[in-house]
Amino acid sequence: MLETADANIRIVLVEPAGPLNVGSVARVMKNMGLHQLVLVNPQCDHLGEEARLMAVRAADILETAKVVESLPAALVGCVRAIATTGDDCRSLPTQLEEPAEALPWLLEAPSALIFGREDCGLTNAELNRAQRLIRIPSSDAYTSLNLAQAVAICCYELYREEGRRKREEGRGKSEEGRGKEEEDASFPGSAGERISRGSASSIPDATDNLSTCYQEQLATRQTENPSIPLASAPLENLEGYYQQLETLLLKIGYLQQHTAASRMEKFRRLYNRAYPTIDEVAMLRGVLRQTEWAIKTYPREANSDTLDGALPENPTDS
């Protein structure tokens, strides 16, 4: 069964300052079938009169909105995240995608769509929390969109894509039903009688059918979108790994305090392209724990950059 956008996608507003904007966001979310609103350190009263005035009949979205102190807290439980930006002034070139191209990716797993502050958007550190970035095309004469307008455009793209998928799913079921009716007409009798008329070799193995179907579906998804495994690690797991990695790299001198942020941005980009699973993140963190244990356990040789002797496996580390 097709997962709905309402079940999978949360709209995250980082430090919204205008209650009118927050109310307008709630209204358009309900228009497009979305209900999960998360506010990160809001700078306005999202339950006040102004917000309710703009929400009209979507006051329930405001009342059930989750308020958190930080963006990492807003992303807990998500395995995919897309952030919106007006421009890319980061140290590394980053592909900025259009909403129609990137947003369908969010429909397939617990996900977050992140919007920044009305006046200055998202910081580099906040953009680094997302795996993909989108920019809404606009006229060079005035490129900046209002927060609620940006949310409306993105929610509409999600609504349109979900509708398209549901129509395709409905057509597939109709075609399957027509095929079954034609088969029944061509081979009257019970199912057992129809099977007995054919040889065993003419009956395809169910496992083979499922395998072929899955491979075709996976190939299509990989062509249309960056595909990730269903067991992809939640973003908070990855964030824990990044923090552990940065601590270790600072300890061994690979990172310096003044360059750590830019170097870690490169690591984040690397892993964001890989979409590691829960088990893979656990393996990576195990490598870091083993390295930390080795540093503490085995002293360096005098006048040498190498550790004294080969390192056995830490028997206490799994």
Side-chain angles (χ1 to χ4, degrees):
M1 180 180 295
L2 181 66
E3 292 290 337
T4 65
D6 184 39
N8 277 338
I9 300 175
R10 64 187 71 169
I11 301 297
V12 178
L13 306 184
V14 177
E15 296 190 348
L20 299 177
N21 271 334
V22 175
S24 297
V25 166
R27 177 173 181 170
V28 76
M29 285 178 61
K30 193 164 187 177
N31 288 151
M32 302 301 162
L34 298 170
H35 290 79
Q36 298 185 60
L37 175 61
V38 182
L39 305 176
V40 178
N41 190 27
Q43 304 298 296
C44 63
D45 182 6
H46 71 285
L47 295 174
E49 182 178 351
E50 289 183 313
R52 291 178 181 274
L53 176 67
M54 297 304 294
V56 192
R57 289 193 290 273
D60 56 311
I61 306 295
L62 298 174
E63 292 164 359
T64 58
K66 184 177 181 180
V67 178
V68 297
E69 294 183 357
S70 66
L71 182 54
L75 301 179
V76 170
C78 293
V79 299
R80 302 182 181 186
I82 290 179
T84 56
T85 180
D87 196 7
D88 188 21
C89 56
R90 302 199 299 170
S91 57
L92 288 172
T94 302
Q95 180 185 4
L96 297 181
E97 303 175 75
E98 293 191 8
E101 297 171 352
L103 292 177
W105 180 66
L106 297 180
L107 291 169
E108 302 160 6
S111 304
L113 179 55
I114 309 166
F115 296 86
R117 302 160 188 80
E118 290 97 328
D119 57 347
C120 59
L122 296 167
T123 66
N124 287 354
E126 290 163 345
L127 289 171
N128 283 335
R129 304 278 178 177
Q131 296 142 318
R132 300 171 72 174
L133 302 180
I134 60 173
R135 181 181 184 275
I136 300 172
S138 56
S139 169
D140 291 338
Y142 195 8
T143 60
S144 177
L145 273 75
N146 168 267
L147 171 62
Q149 293 170 340
V151 175
I153 291 170
C154 292
C155 288
Y156 170 70
E157 290 292 352
L158 288 167
Y159 181 79
R160 187 175 70 164
E161 174 64 17
E162 185 182 29
R164 184 190 68 80
R165 294 187 183 192
K166 286 182 176 179
R167 288 192 296 273
E168 286 187 354
E169 185 181 50
R171 282 196 294 268
K173 289 181 178 179
S174 297
E175 291 173 0
E176 181 181 350
R178 285 196 296 272
K180 180 66 167 58
E181 291 173 359
E182 291 172 0
E183 179 185 350
D184 290 345
S186 300
F187 301 99
S190 67
E193 291 172 344
R194 291 197 298 272
I195 292 175
S196 66
R197 294 191 186 106
S199 64
S201 60
S202 66
I203 304 174
D205 183 83
T207 305
D208 291 341
N209 282 343
L210 288 174
S211 177
T212 303
C213 244
Y214 176 75
Q215 290 172 2
E216 291 174 352
Q217 182 184 31
L218 184 59
T220 302
R221 289 174 60 189
Q222 286 175 334
T223 300
E224 293 178 351
N225 302 300
S227 181
I228 65 174
L230 295 179
S232 290
L235 297 178
E236 62 267 26
N237 287 33
L238 269 175
E239 193 57 39
Y241 168 69
Y242 293 142
Q243 293 175 9
Q244 188 179 359
L245 177 63
E246 182 175 0
T247 299
L248 177 62
L249 295 182
L250 284 167
K251 184 183 297 183
I252 66 175
Y254 179 81
L255 294 181
Q256 304 299 323
Q257 288 292 347
H258 66 285
T259 60
S262 61
R263 288 286 183 95
M264 287 304 301
E265 184 175 330
K266 295 179 182 178
F267 279 110
R268 286 175 180 272
R269 286 166 54 84
L270 172 71
Y271 288 110
N272 281 348
R273 292 196 301 270
Y275 307 114
T277 65
I278 295 173
D279 289 342
E280 288 167 343
V281 172
M283 177 186 68
L284 291 170
R285 299 193 73 170
V287 171
L288 298 184
R289 287 194 301 271
Q290 180 74 16
T291 304
E292 290 168 346
W293 173 84
I295 291 171
K296 293 177 182 177
T297 306
Y298 290 89
R300 293 180 182 274
E301 292 180 351
N303 302 321
S304 173
D305 290 334
T306 61
L307 294 174
D308 185 10
L311 300 180
E313 182 178 355
N314 178 1
T316 64
D317 187 13
S318 58

